[in-house]
Amino acid sequence: MMRGMETRAFSAAAPHQATGLGLGGGGAVDEQQAAGVGILLQISMLVLSFVLGHLLRRRKFYYLPEASASLLIGMIVGGFANISNTQKSTRRWFNFREDFFLLFLLPPIIFQSGFNLAPKPFFSNFGAIITFAILGTFIASIVTGLLVYLAGLIYVIYRLPLVECMMFGALVSATDPVTVLSIFQELGTDVNLYALVFGESVLNDAVAISLYRTMASMRTNSPGHNFFVVILRFLENFVGSMSSGIGVGLISALLFKYAELGVENLHNLESCLFVLFPYFSYMLAEGLGLSGIVSILFTGIVMKRYTFYNLSADSQRFTARFFHLLSSLAEAFIFIYMGFDIAMERQSWSHIGFIFFSIIFILVARAANVFSCAYILNLARPPHSQIPRQYQVALWYSGLRGAMAFALALQSVHDLPDGHGETIFTATTSIVVLTVLLIGGSTGTMLESLQVVGDSNRYRHSYEENFDGSNSGYEEGTSTPSKFQLKLRELRRSTSSFALLDRNYLTPIFTSQHDDDSDDDDDIDDDDSPDEALGIPAVGEL
């Protein structure tokens, strides 16, 4: 079970903690030297990754994005270490431990993702983002799992039990478009397309990990339960985690509103408390048997919306820069870490057909996700604010697989018997490398060919001007809607009702500077992301 693996992070690192004790022994000295060499290599690769990424951006070379460069650096160094006589004590510093990943590296990235969401485009597209992230991920997971299972039944690929196929479908449904998003920013993609891709990917990780845990628990505890019990358990885990994260975020908002920590001599205390709340949310959810990833994501969204504006100006600048820095370091380290481990791990290449067809199946499942959800969403939208086909293709192409899929696949090695986990891990590794290097590198060409970037985007004006939640486009030039379409449109109107609730009640209750900050926030959203308004570089510009 993945819920318990975070608690083993420190025990996994225990062999390294004794290196500084008993320096009189030769073995301890060798161990300490190996630890120093391992850490030095990690820092050197991080420096190389940031420098190389900066040079690639300056030359506008989009065929090798920063994430791809970091992955390649890790794979090259890992390959040399694998064929050399590097000591095992040095090598083990680079073993990709999923507990370390989930406990230390992923939380700051997920929190920053929620914290960095620009409220206006995000909430304008909230219904679409939720649909793609929850319904779409569920569709992609089920379609992938069923295709793998059916292909196994007719002996096209290596056969796995149905529950294990569903676990595989859940873990490869986790997208990681950090590579694509950096190119989106560089080329000036429409803010609504950026919000759809970014918002879906942020929530998608949380949904995928909840689905994987649900399928894993069904396999080990109660394999006889039906499909509806699976859905119920997933919703219980997801809604409980989301409620936990929102609750912690609102409590933090009230604390900073009434504690009056913004005086000059308490700025350090204010910043320290703000930094601690995300990890408190994460650990609280894990302690309750829920998903810390889901919880910390919604804590980030709520803390940015309410708590952030209760901070002093100095603390706002510090916390925004701190989380951006932490997230950038963690992202670069994850791809290096992942590349090194891919080169060092023994892969199970005995089922090439499984790997080949899995790549095809995830492309089909991603298409089923994007195009079916877009069709449903467009039923609820007036003609001028429907999601264009070109945007749908861009969404489909942006479904790269990354660190979350890799970590869950590595966990499946421990969860599944008889070499099934090794087969899934090798297939997932191949998918990650292929999507990050090939699809990520061709994203710029794809966006230009679809004409959805810069001045060539002929959809930008008509798409943006109808994103104010108005329904004026429903009456003109449209046929009589069906009952299903009317219900979808009523659901879409509810998002604007939530915006009124937020403006009139939630913001005054949970913030102390809502009158001024709401205006400033609107100005920020119209032109720049929140971080850019504070003078913080965009993703990958450190």
Side-chain angles (χ1 to χ4, degrees), residues 449-467:
S449 64
L450 291 175
Q451 298 181 345
V452 294
V453 294
D455 297 333
S456 64
N457 185 3
R458 63 178 183 272
Y459 304 99
R460 181 192 298 264
H461 180 68
S462 61
Y463 190 53
E464 285 182 347
E465 68 184 3
N466 287 280
F467 254 80

mmCIF file with all atom_site columns, all heavy atoms in Angstrom, residues 449-467:
data_model
loop_
_atom_site.group_PDB
_atom_site.id
_atom_site.type_symbol
_atom_site.label_atom_id
_atom_site.label_alt_id
_atom_site.label_comp_id
_atom_site.label_asym_id
_atom_site.label_entity_id
_atom_site.label_seq_id
_atom_site.pdbx_PDB_ins_code
_atom_site.Cartn_x
_atom_site.Cartn_y
_atom_site.Cartn_z
_atom_site.occupancy
_atom_site.B_iso_or_equiv
_atom_site.pdbx_formal_charge
_atom_site.auth_seq_id
_atom_site.auth_comp_id
_atom_site.auth_asym_id
_atom_site.auth_atom_id
_atom_site.pdbx_PDB_model_num
ATOM 1   N N   . SER A 1 449 ? 1.840   24.392 -36.022 1.00 0.00 ? 449 SER A N   1
ATOM 2   C CA  . SER A 1 449 ? 1.062   23.798 -37.108 1.00 0.00 ? 449 SER A CA  1
ATOM 3   C C   . SER A 1 449 ? -0.443  23.905 -36.851 1.00 0.00 ? 449 SER A C   1
ATOM 4   O O   . SER A 1 449 ? -1.235  24.019 -37.788 1.00 0.00 ? 449 SER A O   1
ATOM 5   C CB  . SER A 1 449 ? 1.451   22.331 -37.312 1.00 0.00 ? 449 SER A CB  1
ATOM 6   O OG  . SER A 1 449 ? 1.115   21.564 -36.164 1.00 0.00 ? 449 SER A OG  1
ATOM 7   N N   . LEU A 1 450 ? -0.827  23.878 -35.570 1.00 0.00 ? 450 LEU A N   1
ATOM 8   C CA  . LEU A 1 450 ? -2.247  24.036 -35.219 1.00 0.00 ? 450 LEU A CA  1
ATOM 9   C C   . LEU A 1 450 ? -2.681  25.491 -35.207 1.00 0.00 ? 450 LEU A C   1
ATOM 10  O O   . LEU A 1 450 ? -3.874  25.782 -35.084 1.00 0.00 ? 450 LEU A O   1
ATOM 11  C CB  . LEU A 1 450 ? -2.517  23.418 -33.839 1.00 0.00 ? 450 LEU A CB  1
ATOM 12  C CG  . LEU A 1 450 ? -2.420  21.899 -33.722 1.00 0.00 ? 450 LEU A CG  1
ATOM 13  C CD1 . LEU A 1 450 ? -2.597  21.466 -32.269 1.00 0.00 ? 450 LEU A CD1 1
ATOM 14  C CD2 . LEU A 1 450 ? -3.466  21.225 -34.598 1.00 0.00 ? 450 LEU A CD2 1
ATOM 15  N N   . GLN A 1 451 ? -1.712  26.414 -35.304 1.00 0.00 ? 451 GLN A N   1
ATOM 16  C CA  . GLN A 1 451 ? -1.989  27.858 -35.308 1.00 0.00 ? 451 GLN A CA  1
ATOM 17  C C   . GLN A 1 451 ? -2.718  28.304 -34.027 1.00 0.00 ? 451 GLN A C   1
ATOM 18  O O   . GLN A 1 451 ? -3.728  28.999 -34.071 1.00 0.00 ? 451 GLN A O   1
ATOM 19  C CB  . GLN A 1 451 ? -2.807  28.256 -36.540 1.00 0.00 ? 451 GLN A CB  1
ATOM 20  C CG  . GLN A 1 451 ? -2.097  28.001 -37.849 1.00 0.00 ? 451 GLN A CG  1
ATOM 21  C CD  . GLN A 1 451 ? -2.915  28.430 -39.058 1.00 0.00 ? 451 GLN A CD  1
ATOM 22  O OE1 . GLN A 1 451 ? -4.108  28.669 -38.955 1.00 0.00 ? 451 GLN A OE1 1
ATOM 23  N NE2 . GLN A 1 451 ? -2.250  28.522 -40.206 1.00 0.00 ? 451 GLN A NE2 1
ATOM 24  N N   . VAL A 1 452 ? -2.171  27.877 -32.885 1.00 0.00 ? 452 VAL A N   1
ATOM 25  C CA  . VAL A 1 452 ? -2.787  28.250 -31.606 1.00 0.00 ? 452 VAL A CA  1
ATOM 26  C C   . VAL A 1 452 ? -1.800  29.041 -30.736 1.00 0.00 ? 452 VAL A C   1
ATOM 27  O O   . VAL A 1 452 ? -1.976  29.128 -29.527 1.00 0.00 ? 452 VAL A O   1
ATOM 28  C CB  . VAL A 1 452 ? -3.280  27.009 -30.831 1.00 0.00 ? 452 VAL A CB  1
ATOM 29  C CG1 . VAL A 1 452 ? -4.412  26.334 -31.559 1.00 0.00 ? 452 VAL A CG1 1
ATOM 30  C CG2 . VAL A 1 452 ? -2.144  26.018 -30.576 1.00 0.00 ? 452 VAL A CG2 1
ATOM 31  N N   . VAL A 1 453 ? -0.770  29.616 -31.350 1.00 0.00 ? 453 VAL A N   1
ATOM 32  C CA  . VAL A 1 453 ? 0.206   30.389 -30.591 1.00 0.00 ? 453 VAL A CA  1
ATOM 33  C C   . VAL A 1 453 ? 0.360   31.766 -31.220 1.00 0.00 ? 453 VAL A C   1
ATOM 34  O O   . VAL A 1 453 ? 0.207   31.947 -32.435 1.00 0.00 ? 453 VAL A O   1
ATOM 35  C CB  . VAL A 1 453 ? 1.596   29.693 -30.541 1.00 0.00 ? 453 VAL A CB  1
ATOM 36  C CG1 . VAL A 1 453 ? 1.511   28.401 -29.772 1.00 0.00 ? 453 VAL A CG1 1
ATOM 37  C CG2 . VAL A 1 453 ? 2.133   29.446 -31.938 1.00 0.00 ? 453 VAL A CG2 1
ATOM 38  N N   . GLY A 1 454 ? 0.667   32.745 -30.365 1.00 0.00 ? 454 GLY A N   1
ATOM 39  C CA  . GLY A 1 454 ? 0.991   34.086 -30.819 1.00 0.00 ? 454 GLY A CA  1
ATOM 40  C C   . GLY A 1 454 ? -0.103  34.720 -31.657 1.00 0.00 ? 454 GLY A C   1
ATOM 41  O O   . GLY A 1 454 ? -1.297  34.509 -31.458 1.00 0.00 ? 454 GLY A O   1
ATOM 42  N N   . ASP A 1 455 ? 0.308   35.503 -32.632 1.00 0.00 ? 455 ASP A N   1
ATOM 43  C CA  . ASP A 1 455 ? -0.636  36.224 -33.496 1.00 0.00 ? 455 ASP A CA  1
ATOM 44  C C   . ASP A 1 455 ? -1.371  35.307 -34.462 1.00 0.00 ? 455 ASP A C   1
ATOM 45  O O   . ASP A 1 455 ? -2.395  35.685 -35.023 1.00 0.00 ? 455 ASP A O   1
ATOM 46  C CB  . ASP A 1 455 ? 0.109   37.302 -34.296 1.00 0.00 ? 455 ASP A CB  1
ATOM 47  C CG  . ASP A 1 455 ? 0.713   38.362 -33.388 1.00 0.00 ? 455 ASP A CG  1
ATOM 48  O OD1 . ASP A 1 455 ? 0.157   38.559 -32.285 1.00 0.00 ? 455 ASP A OD1 1
ATOM 49  O OD2 . ASP A 1 455 ? 1.728   38.960 -33.781 1.00 0.00 ? 455 ASP A OD2 1
ATOM 50  N N   . SER A 1 456 ? -0.844  34.090 -34.651 1.00 0.00 ? 456 SER A N   1
ATOM 51  C CA  . SER A 1 456 ? -1.494  33.174 -35.594 1.00 0.00 ? 456 SER A CA  1
ATOM 52  C C   . SER A 1 456 ? -2.714  32.494 -34.999 1.00 0.00 ? 456 SER A C   1
ATOM 53  O O   . SER A 1 456 ? -3.436  31.793 -35.710 1.00 0.00 ? 456 SER A O   1
ATOM 54  C CB  . SER A 1 456 ? -0.491  32.096 -36.041 1.00 0.00 ? 456 SER A CB  1
ATOM 55  O OG  . SER A 1 456 ? -0.094  31.291 -34.934 1.00 0.00 ? 456 SER A OG  1
ATOM 56  N N   . ASN A 1 457 ? -2.967  32.706 -33.699 1.00 0.00 ? 457 ASN A N   1
ATOM 57  C CA  . ASN A 1 457 ? -4.095  32.055 -33.043 1.00 0.00 ? 457 ASN A CA  1
ATOM 58  C C   . ASN A 1 457 ? -5.391  32.776 -33.400 1.00 0.00 ? 457 ASN A C   1
ATOM 59  O O   . ASN A 1 457 ? -5.748  33.774 -32.800 1.00 0.00 ? 457 ASN A O   1
ATOM 60  C CB  . ASN A 1 457 ? -3.895  32.030 -31.529 1.00 0.00 ? 457 ASN A CB  1
ATOM 61  C CG  . ASN A 1 457 ? -4.985  31.247 -30.814 1.00 0.00 ? 457 ASN A CG  1
ATOM 62  O OD1 . ASN A 1 457 ? -5.869  30.672 -31.440 1.00 0.00 ? 457 ASN A OD1 1
ATOM 63  N ND2 . ASN A 1 457 ? -4.913  31.230 -29.491 1.00 0.00 ? 457 ASN A ND2 1
ATOM 64  N N   . ARG A 1 458 ? -6.115  32.236 -34.374 1.00 0.00 ? 458 ARG A N   1
ATOM 65  C CA  . ARG A 1 458 ? -7.338  32.891 -34.822 1.00 0.00 ? 458 ARG A CA  1
ATOM 66  C C   . ARG A 1 458 ? -8.520  32.605 -33.899 1.00 0.00 ? 458 ARG A C   1
ATOM 67  O O   . ARG A 1 458 ? -9.605  33.143 -34.089 1.00 0.00 ? 458 ARG A O   1
ATOM 68  C CB  . ARG A 1 458 ? -7.679  32.432 -36.240 1.00 0.00 ? 458 ARG A CB  1
ATOM 69  C CG  . ARG A 1 458 ? -7.983  30.951 -36.389 1.00 0.00 ? 458 ARG A CG  1
ATOM 70  C CD  . ARG A 1 458 ? -8.344  30.651 -37.839 1.00 0.00 ? 458 ARG A CD  1
ATOM 71  N NE  . ARG A 1 458 ? -8.725  29.285 -38.069 1.00 0.00 ? 458 ARG A NE  1
ATOM 72  C CZ  . ARG A 1 458 ? -7.888  28.308 -38.348 1.00 0.00 ? 458 ARG A CZ  1
ATOM 73  N NH1 . ARG A 1 458 ? -6.579  28.567 -38.396 1.00 0.00 ? 458 ARG A NH1 1
ATOM 74  N NH2 . ARG A 1 458 ? -8.320  27.080 -38.566 1.00 0.00 ? 458 ARG A NH2 1
ATOM 75  N N   . TYR A 1 459 ? -8.316  31.743 -32.877 1.00 0.00 ? 459 TYR A N   1
ATOM 76  C CA  . TYR A 1 459 ? -9.399  31.425 -31.951 1.00 0.00 ? 459 TYR A CA  1
ATOM 77  C C   . TYR A 1 459 ? -9.344  32.278 -30.693 1.00 0.00 ? 459 TYR A C   1
ATOM 78  O O   . TYR A 1 459 ? -10.280 32.293 -29.918 1.00 0.00 ? 459 TYR A O   1
ATOM 79  C CB  . TYR A 1 459 ? -9.321  29.953 -31.518 1.00 0.00 ? 459 TYR A CB  1
ATOM 80  C CG  . TYR A 1 459 ? -9.341  29.000 -32.680 1.00 0.00 ? 459 TYR A CG  1
ATOM 81  C CD1 . TYR A 1 459 ? -8.158  28.450 -33.162 1.00 0.00 ? 459 TYR A CD1 1
ATOM 82  C CD2 . TYR A 1 459 ? -10.535 28.660 -33.311 1.00 0.00 ? 459 TYR A CD2 1
ATOM 83  C CE1 . TYR A 1 459 ? -8.171  27.577 -34.237 1.00 0.00 ? 459 TYR A CE1 1
ATOM 84  C CE2 . TYR A 1 459 ? -10.551 27.796 -34.391 1.00 0.00 ? 459 TYR A CE2 1
ATOM 85  C CZ  . TYR A 1 459 ? -9.364  27.261 -34.846 1.00 0.00 ? 459 TYR A CZ  1
ATOM 86  O OH  . TYR A 1 459 ? -9.365  26.406 -35.906 1.00 0.00 ? 459 TYR A OH  1
ATOM 87  N N   . ARG A 1 460 ? -8.239  32.988 -30.483 1.00 0.00 ? 460 ARG A N   1
ATOM 88  C CA  . ARG A 1 460 ? -8.035  33.664 -29.203 1.00 0.00 ? 460 ARG A CA  1
ATOM 89  C C   . ARG A 1 460 ? -9.134  34.678 -28.905 1.00 0.00 ? 460 ARG A C   1
ATOM 90  O O   . ARG A 1 460 ? -9.724  34.679 -27.833 1.00 0.00 ? 460 ARG A O   1
ATOM 91  C CB  . ARG A 1 460 ? -6.675  34.363 -29.196 1.00 0.00 ? 460 ARG A CB  1
ATOM 92  C CG  . ARG A 1 460 ? -6.379  35.064 -27.875 1.00 0.00 ? 460 ARG A CG  1
ATOM 93  C CD  . ARG A 1 460 ? -5.167  35.975 -28.026 1.00 0.00 ? 460 ARG A CD  1
ATOM 94  N NE  . ARG A 1 460 ? -3.980  35.220 -28.367 1.00 0.00 ? 460 ARG A NE  1
ATOM 95  C CZ  . ARG A 1 460 ? -3.082  34.815 -27.478 1.00 0.00 ? 460 ARG A CZ  1
ATOM 96  N NH1 . ARG A 1 460 ? -3.277  35.053 -26.194 1.00 0.00 ? 460 ARG A NH1 1
ATOM 97  N NH2 . ARG A 1 460 ? -2.022  34.156 -27.862 1.00 0.00 ? 460 ARG A NH2 1
ATOM 98  N N   . HIS A 1 461 ? -9.457  35.552 -29.857 1.00 0.00 ? 461 HIS A N   1
ATOM 99  C CA  . HIS A 1 461 ? -10.380 36.653 -29.581 1.00 0.00 ? 461 HIS A CA  1
ATOM 100 C C   . HIS A 1 461 ? -11.784 36.141 -29.275 1.00 0.00 ? 461 HIS A C   1
ATOM 101 O O   . HIS A 1 461 ? -12.384 36.463 -28.261 1.00 0.00 ? 461 HIS A O   1
ATOM 102 C CB  . HIS A 1 461 ? -10.408 37.617 -30.756 1.00 0.00 ? 461 HIS A CB  1
ATOM 103 C CG  . HIS A 1 461 ? -11.331 38.781 -30.555 1.00 0.00 ? 461 HIS A CG  1
ATOM 104 N ND1 . HIS A 1 461 ? -11.089 39.756 -29.621 1.00 0.00 ? 461 HIS A ND1 1
ATOM 105 C CD2 . HIS A 1 461 ? -12.516 39.093 -31.147 1.00 0.00 ? 461 HIS A CD2 1
ATOM 106 C CE1 . HIS A 1 461 ? -12.077 40.647 -29.649 1.00 0.00 ? 461 HIS A CE1 1
ATOM 107 N NE2 . HIS A 1 461 ? -12.949 40.262 -30.564 1.00 0.00 ? 461 HIS A NE2 1
ATOM 108 N N   . SER A 1 462 ? -12.319 35.313 -30.169 1.00 0.00 ? 462 SER A N   1
ATOM 109 C CA  . SER A 1 462 ? -13.694 34.839 -29.968 1.00 0.00 ? 462 SER A CA  1
ATOM 110 C C   . SER A 1 462 ? -13.800 33.947 -28.753 1.00 0.00 ? 462 SER A C   1
ATOM 111 O O   . SER A 1 462 ? -14.828 33.917 -28.078 1.00 0.00 ? 462 SER A O   1
ATOM 112 C CB  . SER A 1 462 ? -14.167 34.075 -31.202 1.00 0.00 ? 462 SER A CB  1
ATOM 113 O OG  . SER A 1 462 ? -13.356 32.943 -31.433 1.00 0.00 ? 462 SER A OG  1
ATOM 114 N N   . TYR A 1 463 ? -12.735 33.211 -28.435 1.00 0.00 ? 463 TYR A N   1
ATOM 115 C CA  . TYR A 1 463 ? -12.769 32.281 -27.299 1.00 0.00 ? 463 TYR A CA  1
ATOM 116 C C   . TYR A 1 463 ? -12.696 33.039 -25.986 1.00 0.00 ? 463 TYR A C   1
ATOM 117 O O   . TYR A 1 463 ? -13.391 32.721 -25.033 1.00 0.00 ? 463 TYR A O   1
ATOM 118 C CB  . TYR A 1 463 ? -11.599 31.302 -27.426 1.00 0.00 ? 463 TYR A CB  1
ATOM 119 C CG  . TYR A 1 463 ? -11.645 30.137 -26.470 1.00 0.00 ? 463 TYR A CG  1
ATOM 120 C CD1 . TYR A 1 463 ? -12.772 29.338 -26.384 1.00 0.00 ? 463 TYR A CD1 1
ATOM 121 C CD2 . TYR A 1 463 ? -10.545 29.824 -25.684 1.00 0.00 ? 463 TYR A CD2 1
ATOM 122 C CE1 . TYR A 1 463 ? -12.814 28.245 -25.526 1.00 0.00 ? 463 TYR A CE1 1
ATOM 123 C CE2 . TYR A 1 463 ? -10.579 28.746 -24.817 1.00 0.00 ? 463 TYR A CE2 1
ATOM 124 C CZ  . TYR A 1 463 ? -11.719 27.955 -24.761 1.00 0.00 ? 463 TYR A CZ  1
ATOM 125 O OH  . TYR A 1 463 ? -11.743 26.886 -23.900 1.00 0.00 ? 463 TYR A OH  1
ATOM 126 N N   . GLU A 1 464 ? -11.873 34.092 -25.912 1.00 0.00 ? 464 GLU A N   1
ATOM 127 C CA  . GLU A 1 464 ? -11.683 34.820 -24.669 1.00 0.00 ? 464 GLU A CA  1
ATOM 128 C C   . GLU A 1 464 ? -12.866 35.715 -24.350 1.00 0.00 ? 464 GLU A C   1
ATOM 129 O O   . GLU A 1 464 ? -13.287 35.832 -23.208 1.00 0.00 ? 464 GLU A O   1
ATOM 130 C CB  . GLU A 1 464 ? -10.412 35.668 -24.736 1.00 0.00 ? 464 GLU A CB  1
ATOM 131 C CG  . GLU A 1 464 ? -9.143  34.855 -24.592 1.00 0.00 ? 464 GLU A CG  1
ATOM 132 C CD  . GLU A 1 464 ? -7.919  35.746 -24.622 1.00 0.00 ? 464 GLU A CD  1
ATOM 133 O OE1 . GLU A 1 464 ? -8.068  36.927 -24.992 1.00 0.00 ? 464 GLU A OE1 1
ATOM 134 O OE2 . GLU A 1 464 ? -6.834  35.279 -24.278 1.00 0.00 ? 464 GLU A OE2 1
ATOM 135 N N   . GLU A 1 465 ? -13.451 36.354 -25.382 1.00 0.00 ? 465 GLU A N   1
ATOM 136 C CA  . GLU A 1 465 ? -14.479 37.354 -25.098 1.00 0.00 ? 465 GLU A CA  1
ATOM 137 C C   . GLU A 1 465 ? -15.758 36.718 -24.554 1.00 0.00 ? 465 GLU A C   1
ATOM 138 O O   . GLU A 1 465 ? -16.598 37.398 -23.994 1.00 0.00 ? 465 GLU A O   1
ATOM 139 C CB  . GLU A 1 465 ? -14.790 38.146 -26.356 1.00 0.00 ? 465 GLU A CB  1
ATOM 140 C CG  . GLU A 1 465 ? -15.482 37.335 -27.440 1.00 0.00 ? 465 GLU A CG  1
ATOM 141 C CD  . GLU A 1 465 ? -15.672 38.165 -28.706 1.00 0.00 ? 465 GLU A CD  1
ATOM 142 O OE1 . GLU A 1 465 ? -15.222 39.324 -28.733 1.00 0.00 ? 465 GLU A OE1 1
ATOM 143 O OE2 . GLU A 1 465 ? -16.269 37.634 -29.649 1.00 0.00 ? 465 GLU A OE2 1
ATOM 144 N N   . ASN A 1 466 ? -15.920 35.411 -24.686 1.00 0.00 ? 466 ASN A N   1
ATOM 145 C CA  . ASN A 1 466 ? -17.102 34.736 -24.188 1.00 0.00 ? 466 ASN A CA  1
ATOM 146 C C   . ASN A 1 466 ? -16.818 33.959 -22.920 1.00 0.00 ? 466 ASN A C   1
ATOM 147 O O   . ASN A 1 466 ? -17.616 33.121 -22.517 1.00 0.00 ? 466 ASN A O   1
ATOM 148 C CB  . ASN A 1 466 ? -17.651 33.776 -25.251 1.00 0.00 ? 466 ASN A CB  1
ATOM 149 C CG  . ASN A 1 466 ? -18.327 34.505 -26.382 1.00 0.00 ? 466 ASN A CG  1
ATOM 150 O OD1 . ASN A 1 466 ? -19.463 34.924 -26.280 1.00 0.00 ? 466 ASN A OD1 1
ATOM 151 N ND2 . ASN A 1 466 ? -17.584 34.680 -27.477 1.00 0.00 ? 466 ASN A ND2 1
ATOM 152 N N   . PHE A 1 467 ? -15.693 34.224 -22.268 1.00 0.00 ? 467 PHE A N   1
ATOM 153 C CA  . PHE A 1 467 ? -15.352 33.480 -21.065 1.00 0.00 ? 467 PHE A CA  1
ATOM 154 C C   . PHE A 1 467 ? -15.655 34.263 -19.807 1.00 0.00 ? 467 PHE A C   1
ATOM 155 O O   . PHE A 1 467 ? -15.016 34.097 -18.787 1.00 0.00 ? 467 PHE A O   1
ATOM 156 C CB  . PHE A 1 467 ? -13.867 33.077 -21.072 1.00 0.00 ? 467 PHE A CB  1
ATOM 157 C CG  . PHE A 1 467 ? -13.710 31.627 -21.345 1.00 0.00 ? 467 PHE A CG  1
ATOM 158 C CD1 . PHE A 1 467 ? -13.781 31.164 -22.647 1.00 0.00 ? 467 PHE A CD1 1
ATOM 159 C CD2 . PHE A 1 467 ? -13.537 30.724 -20.328 1.00 0.00 ? 467 PHE A CD2 1
ATOM 160 C CE1 . PHE A 1 467 ? -13.651 29.823 -22.908 1.00 0.00 ? 467 PHE A CE1 1
ATOM 161 C CE2 . PHE A 1 467 ? -13.406 29.377 -20.592 1.00 0.00 ? 467 PHE A CE2 1
ATOM 162 C CZ  . PHE A 1 467 ? -13.463 28.927 -21.884 1.00 0.00 ? 467 PHE A CZ  1
#
